[in-house]
């Protein structure tokens, strides 16, 4: 108990110490913000190299990032979970952006920080500094992405999660691949034999009961009656064929959107396919296996479905690829004055 009390006391003192440092250095962080923004305005969108002026600013940016990270660790005992791992059901209310939950308050403002500079004993609130940090990253995202491409380990992982909205696709992919490498991979190999004419059912029956960890291991595929040795090419062919078979209308799992190119889950799948939930889970794991092994497959879903998977709130814009005609009609109604047009709309809602 005494050791615990000592630890808590030291932790509180460290928290105050870090806040005081950020309070005293806030003018420096503000100046850094302005300088980086001036540099970013001169950078091209496809900039690949770090200009000399920016290179000189990197140590100061690293100091700002380190102190910001230390303060957030002290203020937020529960670190935001990895956004790539969705543990909540898609039926629940979508989660808000983590950084907005943890760092931003409408009642606070970076201007409040100046009030605390008059008295260094009273450190400004972490929420105010969090809002400044959020705006700092938003304003200088071009510079931050350029530096991260050169120095990917500059930002701690917890901080990268908080600023994920500001990362470009290249940096997100790097971070995602880096996180995948941390996952344990079994040494045992999986060997399965499937028939081409019953590819989906054979694959489902042989792999659906396997754990996620087992599927991360090496997978060797054999087609029944064929002599080919799987050195990687057979597995690629199997994944390619399986990705097409997933959308076979006979399984009633997916429906083609009206844009003719993307798919969405069939809301009536349970009426015709008693194994639909297990097969949906199996399909998700097959797609995950392809991503984990870095294999491209023909598998395209509607934007709304991707947003549901990632717990991102939907908007009416997500209707565009699902039903372009309905979206254009709705968009026209929202953007034009329909007073006196005698437009009557009837809506129905069926609770599943």
């Amino acid at each position: 108990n005494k050791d615990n009390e000592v630890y808590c006391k030291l932790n509180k003192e460290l928290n105050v110490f870090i806040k005081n440092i950020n309070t005293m250095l806030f003018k420096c962080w503000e100046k850094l913000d302005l300088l980086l923004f001036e540099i970013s305005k001169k950078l091209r969108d496809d900039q690949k190299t770090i200009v000399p002026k920016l290179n000189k600013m990197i140590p100061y940016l690293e100091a700002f990032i380190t102190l910001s990270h230390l303060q957030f660790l002290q203020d937020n005992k529960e670190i935001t979970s990895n956004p790539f791992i969705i543990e909540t059901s898609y039926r629940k209310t979508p989660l808000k952006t983590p950084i907005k939950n943890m760092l931003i308050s409408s009642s606070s403002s970076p201007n409040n920080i100046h009030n605390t500079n008059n008295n260094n004993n009273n450190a400004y609130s972490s929420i105010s500094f969090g809002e400044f940090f959020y705006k700092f990253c938003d304003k200088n995202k071009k510079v931050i992405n350029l530096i991260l491409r050169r120095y990917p380990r500059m930002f701690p992982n917890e901080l990268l999660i908080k600023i994920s909205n500001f990362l470009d696709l290249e940096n997100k992919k790097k971070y995602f691949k880096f996180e995948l490498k941390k996952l344990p991979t079994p040494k045992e190999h999986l060997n399965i034999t499937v028939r081409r004419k019953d590819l989906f059912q054979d694959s489902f029956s042989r792999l659906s009961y396997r754990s996620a960890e087992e599927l991360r291991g090496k997978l060797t595929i054999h087609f029944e009656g064929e002599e080919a040795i799987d050195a990687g090419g057979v597995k690629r062919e199997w994944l390619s064929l399986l990705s097409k078979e997933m959308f076979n209308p006979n399984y009633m799992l997916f429906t083609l959107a009206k844009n003719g190119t993307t798919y969405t889950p069939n809301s009536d799948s349970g009426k015709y396919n008693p194994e639909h939930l297990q097969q949906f889970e199996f399909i998700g794991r097959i797609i995950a296996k392809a991503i984990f092994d870095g294999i491209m497959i023909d598998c395209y879903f509607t934007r709304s479905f991707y947003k549901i998977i990632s717990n991102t709130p939907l908007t009416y814009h997500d209707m565009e690829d699902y039903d372009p005609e309905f979206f254009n009609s709705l968009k026209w109604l929202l953007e034009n004055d329909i007073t006196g047009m005698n437009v009557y709309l009837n809506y129905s809602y069926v609770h599943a």
Side-chain angles (χ1 to χ4, degrees), residues 140-153:
N140 301 295
K141 55 189 173 185
K142 186 184 291 186
V143 167
I144 290 173
N145 278 290
L146 179 60
I147 293 175
L148 276 176
R149 284 195 287 272
R150 178 73 178 274
Y151 305 105
R153 303 296 177 85

Side-chain angles (χ1 to χ4, degrees), residues 245-259:
E245 193 64 16
M246 293 172 185
F247 304 108
N248 188 327
N250 293 330
Y251 298 119
M252 300 296 294
L253 294 173
F254 297 95
T255 57
L256 184 65
K258 290 188 177 180
N259 60 17

Side-chain angles (χ1 to χ4, degrees), residues 190-204:
L190 283 177
N191 296 277
I192 67 168
T193 300
V194 296
R195 296 166 294 177
R196 286 185 180 270
K197 64 177 182 178
D198 293 309
L199 185 71
F200 183 83
Q201 287 295 344
D202 283 358
S203 301
F204 173 68

Side-chain angles (χ1 to χ4, degrees), residues 10-63:
L10 290 174
N11 199 42
K12 289 180 180 179
E13 291 176 354
L14 178 62
N15 189 12
V16 173
F17 176 68
I18 293 170
K19 286 184 178 181
N20 285 337
I21 291 178
N22 279 325
T23 301
M24 291 183 288
L25 292 178
F26 181 71
K27 287 291 185 182
C28 296
W29 303 148
E30 203 171 36
K31 186 66 175 177
L32 177 65
D33 182 28
L34 294 174
L35 290 173
L36 289 178
F37 183 64
E38 289 301 316
I39 294 174
S40 68
K41 289 194 294 186
K42 298 178 182 178
L43 297 177
R44 304 188 312 273
D45 291 336
D46 59 346
Q47 185 87 20
K48 299 295 183 183
T49 57
I50 298 177
V51 295
K53 285 184 179 180
L54 179 56
N55 201 47
K56 293 179 181 179
M57 304 301 298
I58 289 178
Y60 302 100
L61 177 61
E62 190 170 11

Side-chain angles (χ1 to χ4, degrees), residues 33-301:
D33 182 28
L34 294 174
L35 290 173
L36 289 178
F37 183 64
E38 289 301 316
I39 294 174
S40 68
K41 289 194 294 186
K42 298 178 182 178
L43 297 177
R44 304 188 312 273
D45 291 336
D46 59 346
Q47 185 87 20
K48 299 295 183 183
T49 57
I50 298 177
V51 295
K53 285 184 179 180
L54 179 56
N55 201 47
K56 293 179 181 179
M57 304 301 298
I58 289 178
Y60 302 100
L61 177 61
E62 190 170 11
F64 171 69
I65 292 167
T66 302
L67 287 170
S68 300
H69 176 55
L70 289 173
Q71 180 159 332
F72 296 147
L73 281 179
Q74 295 295 324
D75 293 333
N76 301 289
K77 302 303 180 185
E78 296 183 4
I79 302 302
T80 308
S81 61
N82 193 320
F84 298 114
I85 302 175
I86 302 301
E87 298 175 350
T88 54
S89 168
Y90 71 90
R91 293 183 182 276
K92 295 182 180 179
T93 304
L95 299 174
K96 295 181 180 179
T97 306
I99 191 167
K100 291 182 179 178
N101 283 344
M102 302 176 70
L103 304 180
I104 292 182
S105 172
S106 58
S107 61
S108 63
S109 169
N111 295 330
N112 295 339
I113 299 174
H114 295 293
N115 298 330
T116 62
N117 287 337
N118 297 326
N119 185 358
N120 289 333
N121 294 324
N122 296 321
Y124 56 83
S125 70
S126 62
I127 295 179
S128 297
F129 181 74
E131 186 172 2
F132 170 74
F133 176 80
Y134 181 87
K135 291 182 178 180
F136 180 98
C137 294
D138 185 24
K139 191 176 177 182
N140 301 295
K141 55 189 173 185
K142 186 184 291 186
V143 167
I144 290 173
N145 278 290
L146 179 60
I147 293 175
L148 276 176
R149 284 195 287 272
R150 178 73 178 274
Y151 305 105
R153 303 296 177 85
M154 179 179 288
F155 278 66
N157 287 345
E158 295 88 349
L159 213 54
L160 276 176
I161 293 172
K162 290 183 173 71
I163 66 166
S164 59
N165 285 355
F166 307 126
L167 300 183
D168 59 22
L169 182 59
E170 183 179 344
N171 280 319
K172 285 181 178 179
K173 287 168 63 177
K174 281 184 179 179
Y175 170 72
F176 181 66
K177 290 177 180 179
F178 177 74
E179 289 296 306
L180 287 182
K181 290 179 181 179
K182 292 182 181 179
L183 297 173
T185 303
K187 295 180 180 179
E188 297 79 11
H189 295 180
L190 283 177
N191 296 277
I192 67 168
T193 300
V194 296
R195 296 166 294 177
R196 286 185 180 270
K197 64 177 182 178
D198 293 309
L199 185 71
F200 183 83
Q201 287 295 344
D202 283 358
S203 301
F204 173 68
S205 63
R206 287 161 176 73
L207 293 176
S208 60
Y209 64 92
R210 297 288 185 175
S211 67
E213 186 173 349
E214 287 179 301
L215 290 176
R216 288 197 293 269
K218 184 175 180 181
L219 177 62
T220 302
I221 305 296
H222 300 281
F223 286 109
E224 188 176 81
E226 300 182 18
E227 298 294 332
I229 298 176
D230 188 3
V234 178
K235 184 177 70 174
R236 288 177 182 274
E237 183 188 4
W238 169 74
L239 279 170
S240 177
L241 294 173
L242 188 58
S243 67
K244 293 180 176 65
E245 193 64 16
M246 293 172 185
F247 304 108
N248 188 327
N250 293 330
Y251 298 119
M252 300 296 294
L253 294 173
F254 297 95
T255 57
L256 184 65
K258 290 188 177 180
N259 60 17
T261 58
T262 58
Y263 288 86
T264 192
N266 184 357
S267 58
D268 293 328
S269 59
K271 296 179 181 179
Y272 309 100
N273 185 347
E275 294 183 306
H276 69 126
L277 295 180
Q278 294 87 342
Q279 289 178 353
F280 276 131
E281 183 178 2
F282 167 70
I283 289 171
R285 289 192 168 186
I286 291 300
I287 295 172
K289 176 63 176 174
I291 294 173
F292 189 81
D293 290 351
I295 298 175
M296 294 289 293
I297 57 176
D298 294 326
C299 188
Y300 305 100
F301 297 107

